[in-house]
Amino acid sequence: MGARLSEESVVSQKILLRDNEEARAIFGPQDAYIRMLDQAFACTLINRGNELSVQGTPMVVEQVVELIGVFKQLIRKGHPLSERDVLYALELQKKGDLAHLLDLFQEDLAQSFKGKVIRVKTIGQRAYVEAIRKHDIVFGVGPAGTGKTYLAVVLAYLALKNGLVKRIVLTRPAVEAGENLGFLPGDLQEKVDPYLRPLYDALHDVMGPEQLARSMERGLVEVAPLAYMRGRTLEDAFVILDEAQNTTPEQMKMFLTRLGFGSKMVITGDITQVDLPRGKRSGLREALRILSDIDGIAFVVLEESDVIRHQLVQKIIHAYAKDEVERG
């Protein structure tokens, strides 16, 4: 495998792993992770048993050895590698931040209902979580797949579980075109549910269906369209506004002024996916402009590198962003 190299520039280094099990964890299923490194670097990688031979320029060999060293540390601390981890490690190395990858595995946020460990997976996500912990109002802006809503729901659940708030309120614009629900079939709940489903899904994952149902019956968790927030003051609550790019400036102002004592608000959205009718201004864009100088409000921008879905999602986001720039 690997690109051809001039003999003058080639050096070779062998990396000995602890055993075949550790080698399989680092090489990946069917050597998938080794192929990813092979594609990323102009080098030749040969793996046999628990040994990896790296041939390339001194700089490239050093970079590959550094990566394998970090992977070994993760695995030996009980953190299995994923395709996402390898891709993100490659990105961090380009920025000179590879050492920070280990920091991301230092803290477990919570466990899902099924026992899966939940932790931040990117530096951007870590900054987002820290901002939510430290500020009463946080704007989390970024493309799909960056974990904006999911992490906010996890932190809301932890705040409720630890007695920091008395309830969770999750909301989003009910429909893209100004919450006009009347034309949809069914009763109000049936009309609203499809637009709130992503919020339910995140809660289901963290709390499980039975605990979520009990919490909603007791009023500890409320999931409602944004229109239901008007005229209320939300105290001792963790409030999340999702898909905030589809609010109008008036709706955003209405929502933000619901903040009561002992409460925390997280506003998430993607300003590249505004679904409002042409000519309508996005409340999220306006809020980012108007509120940027207010102390106590945090703004966290998540980027393509923070996308934690399939790697093709990241490529799709990049392709659309590039096309938008080229078309002006």
Side-chain angles (χ1 to χ4, degrees):
M1 291 190 289
R4 291 185 178 178
L5 303 158
S6 75
E7 292 184 5
E8 299 174 4
S9 63
V10 171
V11 297
S12 180
Q13 184 166 337
K14 290 183 178 180
I15 304 172
L16 190 64
L17 302 171
R18 181 182 287 169
D19 50 35
N20 287 344
E21 185 177 346
E22 182 173 271
R24 282 193 294 270
I26 289 177
F27 299 162
Q30 287 81 52
D31 295 338
Y33 305 159
I34 291 298
R35 286 197 298 275
M36 290 165 67
L37 298 185
D38 188 57
Q39 292 168 7
F41 297 102
C43 66
T44 299
L45 300 171
I46 302 170
N47 55 303
R48 292 193 183 95
N50 64 331
E51 186 178 280
L52 177 66
S53 174
V54 187
Q55 297 174 1
T57 63
M59 179 181 294
V60 167
V61 169
E62 182 181 343
Q63 289 175 325
V64 174
V65 170
E66 181 188 29
L67 275 168
I68 298 297
V70 169
F71 295 161
K72 281 197 294 186
Q73 289 186 63
L74 286 176
I75 288 166
R76 290 177 184 181
K77 290 180 179 179
H79 305 303
L81 275 183
S82 68
E83 179 181 346
R84 166 66 204 171
D85 295 330
V86 176
L87 287 170
Y88 192 55
L90 288 166
E91 290 192 29
L92 288 181
Q93 190 176 54
K94 289 177 185 176
K95 301 174 183 177
D97 292 331
L98 181 59
H100 293 305
L101 183 65
L102 296 170
D103 297 338
L104 299 177
F105 291 83
Q106 297 301 315
E107 179 190 4
D108 296 343
L109 291 180
Q111 279 195 342
S112 72
F113 169 67
K114 295 182 178 179
K116 182 180 178 181
V117 173
I118 300 169
R119 64 170 65 93
V120 296
K121 296 182 179 178
T122 70
I123 294 172
Q125 286 189 350
R126 184 176 62 185
Y128 179 53
V129 166
E130 289 175 354
I132 293 174
R133 287 171 169 166
K134 294 177 182 177
H135 296 82
D136 289 339
I137 297 179
V138 175
F139 286 82
V141 181
T146 49
K148 305 181 300 295
T149 303
Y150 186 80
L151 287 173
V153 168
V154 170
L155 292 176
Y157 165 70
L158 291 174
L160 179 66
K161 180 181 177 182
N162 295 326
L164 301 178
V165 297
K166 294 180 180 177
R167 59 185 170 138
I168 299 171
V169 179
L170 308 181
T171 186
R172 68 190 306 192
V175 294
E176 294 80 1
E179 304 190 37
N180 297 316
L181 295 169
F183 68 91
L184 294 171
D187 61 23
L188 182 60
Q189 195 64 39
E190 290 171 333
K191 294 176 181 181
V192 165
D193 273 354
Y195 299 98
L196 303 177
R197 178 51 50 191
L199 298 175
Y200 283 118
D201 288 346
L203 283 168
H204 267 279
D205 192 48
V206 177
M207 302 178 73
E210 292 184 7
Q211 185 183 357
L212 175 58
R214 288 196 303 269
S215 296
M216 294 185 74
E217 287 174 8
R218 296 166 59 192
L220 300 177
V221 175
E222 177 184 353
V223 184
L226 181 58
Y228 282 35
M229 300 299 109
R230 194 174 300 277
R232 303 171 63 183
T233 299
L234 301 168
E235 297 191 348
D236 298 314
F238 197 119
V239 192
I240 300 172
L241 170 58
D242 192 36
E243 297 289 340
Q245 75 275 6
N246 290 328
T247 62
T248 64
E250 296 77 17
Q251 288 172 328
M252 179 62 79
K253 180 182 176 183
M254 177 276 291
F255 173 77
L256 292 172
T257 54
R258 302 307 94 199
L259 181 69
F261 291 107
S263 287
K264 189 180 290 283
M265 282 183 166
V266 179
I267 299 95
T268 71
D270 178 0
I271 56 176
T272 69
Q273 293 193 11
V274 177
D275 297 314
L276 293 167
R278 188 176 296 276
K280 284 260 189 182
R281 290 174 297 142
S282 167
L284 178 58
R285 280 181 174 161
E286 292 288 283
L288 296 176
R289 178 179 62 83
I290 294 168
L291 306 177
S292 60
D293 295 328
I294 295 182
D295 290 336
I297 299 179
F299 300 86
V300 180
V301 178
L302 297 164
E303 302 173 346
E304 290 173 31
S305 59
D306 296 301
V307 173
I308 55 173
R309 294 179 183 171
H310 194 287
Q311 62 171 312
L312 283 177
V313 174
Q314 197 167 341
K315 292 179 180 178
I316 290 167
I317 291 169
H318 178 73
Y320 273 98
K322 181 181 177 184
D323 180 69
E324 191 171 331
V325 170
E326 290 174 350
R327 292 172 60 185

